[in-house]
Amino acid sequence: MSASDSSTFPLVGLQAVSNAQHQWVALAFHLTPQAGLAAPALAQLFAYPDMRAALAPLDFIVSLDDPLHVDEALAASLPAQHTILRVPAAACARNEVQNRCRALAERGFRLMVDGEAGLDAGKAGMRALSADAGGGLPSMVSILTLAGPHWVSNVADKACLANWRSAGFSWFSGAYSREGAAEAPNSDGTSRKRLLALLGLLARDADSRELEILLKQDPALAYHLLKLVNSAAFAPPAPIHSFTQAINVLGRRQLQRWLQLLLYARQQDDGGANALLPLAAVRGAQMEFLSRERGGDRDAQDMAFVAGVFSLLDVLLGMPMTEIVSALSLDLDVVRALLDRAGPLGDMLALTETERPDPARLQALGIDTETHWRGLLQAYHWAIQVSRNL
């Protein structure tokens, strides 16, 4: 893409949508006001090289103020089978909108009504419902008359999640995904201490033998590591059964990275995946990308990756970040980023934590909107792969 194209590229954020098992099922696109008209911005996004391949196999949720803006050219550029068009409930009252929505449904698009569904939503061919958890539950008539899956955003915590799930919603997004799992009441903290010890070994680039000894004490972590190296991502010529082989296959640098992410791979009490895992992967990969784009060498990129992945350790371990960094031998720049979001790494970390990017923050980092989008694609692609392999 040329520099002139980059200067007019739309600013967009991505929001992960998960099912009840905390697995990503879709990505919601958030166009900022600076993106201008939605239709041209969407056309530019979906025409971006390898965009669909990077985010496969997830569905795309695209919010429209007015479905009449989706002309034939835009409709042809969107992957109909993987695109859910989200339409305001109020817009469904117009006959021309109902006709256009039914035409889009015939082309393979799925339609989601945002707000209380009524007869007009049915006339427009709506199949699913979206709601904001802060606005209260829709009527059961609205929920039951549409096939779904229904999506609720801004889910604050797990209690809120359970409430909406019992009401018939099966797709969720919000701060609940950044809640840690409470340690069992009768736990002596051994698992947490072991994780901190492993993090300490990784931080000081410990000998492989030391890592192996600690891995053998954690069956869950050991299982995930061996599962990883035997996955299609590495395609070993013969099955790998020992940690020494695993370390040799991955190499020291990749071993450190994967182990940092494996810490998040533990199953939750409800049997679902750990919702923190893909979030940590996105932050780590995006931080590494931003560091590289700003001229960082390999060591700087590694530190950026660590800062991104470790930014959720306080949630994972259920302890203050100050205690975590005091137990690890981290670079001062990483410590400043984790504790205060200070310094160059802190500035980049603050950016990765936002689902709706701030143009002023991007400008301060010297990152244009097209570069930001390219980084998002790479980061989310990495997170999707991580979730598949762990």
Side-chain angles (χ1 to χ4, degrees):
M1 178 167 288
S2 68
S4 59
D5 289 330
S6 296
S7 65
T8 59
F9 199 84
L11 184 56
V12 64
L14 292 176
Q15 180 183 33
V17 178
S18 304
N19 60 19
Q21 289 72 45
H22 313 307
Q23 299 165 326
W24 285 1
V25 291
L27 292 172
F29 286 67
H30 294 299
L31 292 169
T32 65
Q34 292 77 13
L37 292 175
L42 286 172
Q44 196 170 5
L45 286 175
F46 279 85
Y48 197 80
D50 300 324
M51 177 272 199
R52 302 179 197 178
L55 302 180
L58 301 184
D59 287 329
F60 310 135
I61 300 176
V62 175
S63 297
L64 302 172
D65 289 335
D66 190 340
L68 297 180
H69 292 159
V70 182
D71 58 20
E72 287 303 308
L74 176 57
S77 71
L78 299 175
Q81 298 302 319
H82 287 285
T83 302
I84 300 171
L85 301 176
R86 182 171 173 244
V87 180
C92 295
R94 297 155 53 196
N95 289 333
E96 59 270 29
V97 169
Q98 294 174 9
N99 294 334
R100 183 58 181 150
C101 285
R102 288 197 301 270
L104 290 169
E106 291 175 358
R107 296 184 65 145
F109 291 96
R110 284 165 288 167
L111 303 176
M112 174 180 284
V113 58
D114 182 29
E116 189 72 34
L119 293 176
D120 291 333
K123 294 177 182 178
M126 297 293 152
R127 288 180 48 184
L129 176 68
S130 76
D132 189 314
L137 286 167
S139 67
M140 289 306 297
V141 173
S142 295
I143 297 172
L144 295 176
T145 53
L146 298 177
H150 305 312
W151 168 40
V152 55
S153 59
N154 294 320
V155 178
D157 51 38
K158 291 178 181 176
C160 181
L161 172 71
N163 184 40
W164 284 83
R165 184 179 179 184
S166 64
F169 282 72
S170 55
W171 283 11
F172 314 93
S173 60
Y176 83 94
S177 62
R178 295 184 289 278
E179 277 193 327
E183 201 151 0
N186 60 349
S187 172
D188 61 358
T190 300
S191 176
R192 185 167 64 185
K193 293 175 183 176
R194 190 182 298 122
L195 288 179
L196 277 175
L198 180 58
L199 287 169
L201 292 178
L202 291 171
R204 66 178 176 84
D205 197 22
D207 182 81
S208 298
R209 179 60 181 167
E210 293 181 81
L211 293 173
E212 184 176 345
I213 291 173
L214 200 57
L215 280 168
K216 288 180 178 178
Q217 299 174 27
D218 193 322
L221 194 57
Y223 163 77
H224 283 296
L225 177 60
L226 292 178
K227 177 184 174 184
L228 168 67
V229 296
N230 283 291
S231 70
F234 294 94
I240 294 173
H241 303 294
S242 74
F243 300 119
T244 300
Q245 287 178 295
I247 292 170
N248 289 336
V249 167
L250 290 172
R252 294 287 305 180
R253 186 169 184 252
Q254 287 301 317
L255 174 68
Q256 286 186 323
R257 295 197 164 202
W258 281 103
L259 282 177
Q260 288 158 4
L261 288 170
L262 279 167
L263 299 174
Y264 294 92
R266 296 159 188 275
Q267 194 175 50
Q268 303 298 281
D269 293 337
D270 58 7
N274 192 327
L276 295 174
L277 171 60
L279 290 177
V282 165
R283 290 188 186 182
Q286 196 175 1
M287 287 286 288
E288 180 185 22
F289 174 87
L290 291 171
S291 175
R292 182 169 62 250
E293 287 297 313
R294 301 181 75 200
D297 59 17
R298 179 167 170 169
D299 288 340
Q301 293 172 38
D302 284 345
M303 283 198 300
F305 181 88
V306 167
V309 172
F310 282 13
S311 64
L312 290 164
L313 282 182
D314 54 340
V315 181
L316 176 73
L317 301 177
M319 58 190 297
M321 187 63 79
T322 51
E323 294 183 26
I324 295 173
V325 298
S326 65
L328 306 175
S329 301
L330 298 174
D331 186 274
L332 180 59
D333 288 341
V334 176
V335 172
R336 293 181 64 207
L338 292 176
L339 293 182
D340 303 315
R341 300 301 186 264
L345 287 180
D347 292 338
M348 291 190 292
L349 184 56
L351 176 65
T352 68
E353 292 174 321
T354 60
E355 293 171 343
R356 301 172 187 256
D358 179 4
R361 181 167 283 163
L362 277 177
Q363 186 175 11
L365 290 172
I367 302 296
D368 61 54
T369 53
E370 186 272 333
T371 301
H372 176 258
W373 176 240
R374 182 157 45 91
L376 274 185
L377 288 183
Q378 291 187 20
Y380 274 85
H381 178 69
W382 165 248
I384 293 167
Q385 298 304 310
V386 166
S387 299
R388 286 178 178 177
N389 291 319
L390 296 186

